């Protein structure tokens, strides 16, 4: 292919990537280095026969002039990244010096908003991603074994969790785990504890959020694996059957190696998707028990304060951690690609 032809072929994609990916990231990074201008306060002292009093007023003209002069805000550098709402450098250093041991240091970190959100986000990602892959694989194997005339309805019902809007699906589960719901009542009966409430327990809320994550994401893994199963070499499977291989041995030595590239693809998508967990926390009203990095960004952007710089800093840190999580998978994919060449 000529260089000019290749250039015009990739130019639209490169242009869109620059416009919708590169430039927004540059904008977010830039915003994270500036903080909002403080209002200009005028202190007026009024003196009378009974003494003097002070009153404060906001100088709107001076404030607007300052914002017009420096529209990005006041230069903060890395101060926002190091404050208590983010990496909390001073607090972490003080806790490390004054703590009696790792458990005490861990409790201190969990009391800091960023590290608390990071702990839940990493736990959610580490639990939901492999369980989604495993469950999706076994669903695909099971559906592929169903009689051909029943596969259509079976595939439809298997995809329902992904078809349902995430907010609606999480709300349904939220009502089911309520003390008056079927799951909430069942848990009370199993534990013989009428006062048990999923919504009041942090461990149970974390577990329920992860159960929802697996339930919602498994259909994606299933449909990818199911499509991959249709490309398995039937001659190889028949040869394995003739050699006396059991069903599990055929899956282990023929099917699973064939689906490894798809597993890498699913892992990449799920890592990115699970790391930005947000909807379940809102639907379950679980902010008192679990907050994620995405929820922290949403919280900074909400209300009248609109802490744009804080939200931008959290976004940049999220991008960095996603890149770190994806790096092993990307390196392995690059090596496999290089080996094939």
């Amino acid at each position: 292919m000529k260089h000019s032809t290749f250039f015009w072929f990739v130019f639209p994609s490169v242009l869109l990537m620059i416009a919708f990916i590169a430039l927004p990231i540059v904008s977010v990074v830039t915003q994270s280095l500036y903080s909002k201008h403080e209002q200009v306060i005028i202190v007026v002292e009024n003196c009378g026969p009974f003494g003097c009093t002070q009153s404060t007023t906001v100088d709107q003209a001076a404030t607007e002039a300052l914002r017009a002069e420096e529209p990005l805000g006041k230069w903060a550098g890395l101060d926002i990244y190091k404050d208590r709402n983010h990496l909390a450098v001073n607090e972490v250093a003080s806790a490390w010096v004054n703590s009696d041991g790792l458990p005490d240091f861990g409790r201190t970190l969990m009391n800091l908003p960023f590290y608390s959100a990071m702990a839940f986000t990493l736990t959610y990602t580490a639990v939901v991603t492999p369980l989604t892959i495993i469950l999706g694989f076994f669903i695909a194997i099971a559906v592929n074994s169903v009689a051909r005339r029943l596969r259509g309805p079976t595939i439809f019902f298997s995809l329902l969790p992904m078809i349902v809007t995430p907010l609606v699906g999480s709300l349904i589960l939220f009502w089911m785990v309520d003390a008056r719901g079927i799951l909430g009542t069942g848990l009370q009966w199993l534990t013989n504890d009428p006062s048990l409430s999923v919504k009041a327990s942090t461990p149970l809320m974390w577990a329920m959020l992860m159960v929802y994550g697996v339930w919602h994401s498994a259909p994606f893994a299933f449909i990818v694996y199911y499509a991959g199963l249709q490309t398995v070499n039937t001659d190889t499977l028949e040869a394995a059957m003739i050699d006396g291989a059991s069903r599990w041995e055929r899956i282990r030595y023929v099917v699973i190696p064939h689906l490894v590239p798809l597993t890498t693809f699913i892992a990449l998508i799920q890592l990115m998707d699970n790391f930005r967990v947000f909807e379940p926390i809102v639907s379950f009203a679980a902010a008192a028990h679990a907050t994620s990095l995405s929820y922290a960004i949403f919280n900074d952007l909400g209300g009248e304060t609109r802490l744009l710089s804080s939200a931008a800093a959290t976004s940049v840190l999220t991008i960095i951690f996603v890149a770190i999580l994806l790096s092993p998978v990307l390196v392995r994919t690059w090596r496999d690609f290089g080996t094939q060449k």
Side-chain angles (χ1 to χ4, degrees):
M1 182 182 294
K2 296 181 179 179
H3 292 294
S4 59
T5 304
F6 177 76
F7 172 78
W8 289 112
F9 179 76
V10 301
F11 178 73
S13 299
V14 173
L15 186 63
L16 290 175
M17 291 176 66
I18 293 174
F20 294 105
I21 299 178
L23 291 180
I25 291 178
V26 172
S27 175
V28 169
V29 173
T30 303
Q31 183 62 56
S32 69
L33 301 176
Y34 291 86
S35 61
K36 186 179 180 181
H37 285 297
E38 298 178 357
Q39 294 180 326
V40 179
I41 305 297
I42 300 177
V43 179
V44 179
E45 187 175 20
N46 300 315
C47 295
F50 300 103
C52 297
T53 60
Q54 289 185 343
S55 62
T56 59
T57 58
V58 178
D59 190 339
Q60 294 291 350
T63 302
E64 293 299 329
L66 186 61
R67 292 174 179 174
E69 183 180 353
E70 299 178 349
L72 288 176
K74 180 176 62 176
W75 172 258
L78 299 178
D79 291 343
I80 299 175
Y81 290 92
K82 296 186 291 184
D83 67 13
R84 189 183 188 280
N85 290 326
H86 296 91
L87 296 179
V89 175
N90 294 332
E91 288 78 2
V92 171
S94 176
W96 180 260
V97 172
N98 299 325
S99 63
D100 297 329
L102 289 178
D104 185 61
F105 179 68
R107 283 192 294 269
T108 303
L109 287 185
M110 289 300 293
N111 289 328
L112 296 171
F114 177 80
Y115 292 100
S116 175
M118 175 61 71
F120 173 76
T121 303
L122 289 176
T123 304
Y124 182 90
T125 304
V127 172
V128 173
T129 301
L131 289 181
T132 297
I133 292 174
I134 294 171
L135 182 60
F137 174 75
F138 281 109
I139 294 175
I141 293 293
V143 172
N144 197 53
S145 303
V146 173
R148 190 172 298 274
R149 60 180 180 179
L150 297 177
R151 286 186 188 178
T154 306
I155 291 174
F156 172 76
F157 285 109
S158 300
L159 292 177
L160 275 179
M162 189 173 64
I163 297 173
V164 175
T165 305
L167 189 60
V168 175
S170 53
L171 278 174
I172 292 173
L173 186 58
F174 178 72
W175 294 328
M176 292 174 67
V177 300
D178 187 82
R180 296 166 294 179
I182 183 171
L183 293 181
T185 305
L187 285 174
Q188 291 177 351
W189 178 78
L190 287 174
T191 59
N192 196 24
D193 184 4
S195 63
L196 179 66
S197 174
V198 174
K199 300 177 183 179
S201 171
T202 296
L204 289 177
M205 182 59 73
W206 279 39
M208 192 54 60
L209 289 171
M210 294 172 194
V211 167
Y212 168 78
V214 175
W215 175 80
H216 176 72
S217 303
F220 171 76
F222 149 66
I223 201 64
V224 174
Y225 277 133
Y226 181 76
L229 287 174
Q230 311 313 307
T231 64
V232 176
N233 193 320
T234 55
D235 294 336
T236 305
L237 287 175
E238 291 175 358
M241 292 177 64
I242 294 173
D243 291 338
S246 64
R247 178 176 175 80
W248 165 243
E249 290 174 335
R250 295 197 301 271
I251 292 174
R252 179 181 178 183
Y253 296 109
V254 178
V255 175
I256 291 180
H258 179 76
L259 298 179
V260 166
L262 291 181
T263 302
T264 303
F265 168 74
I266 296 171
L268 282 170
I269 299 300
Q270 288 301 311
L271 282 172
M272 291 186 291
D273 193 46
N274 293 330
F275 203 82
R276 60 181 180 84
V277 54
F278 173 72
E279 293 94 343
I281 297 176
V282 175
S283 303
F284 279 71
H289 302 284
T291 56
S292 65
L293 295 178
S294 295
Y295 187 86
I297 297 171
F298 167 78
N299 195 44
D300 286 338
L301 294 177
E304 298 180 357
T305 54
R306 294 185 181 179
L307 305 175
L308 300 180
S309 300
S310 178
T314 307
S315 300
V316 172
L317 291 173
T318 302
I319 293 172
I320 292 173
F321 281 111
V322 168
I324 294 173
L325 281 179
L326 295 182
S327 58
V329 183
L330 293 175
V331 169
R332 178 176 178 178
T333 304
W334 179 264
R335 288 177 178 174
D336 292 342
F337 178 75
T339 303
Q340 292 177 2
K341 290 179 64 177

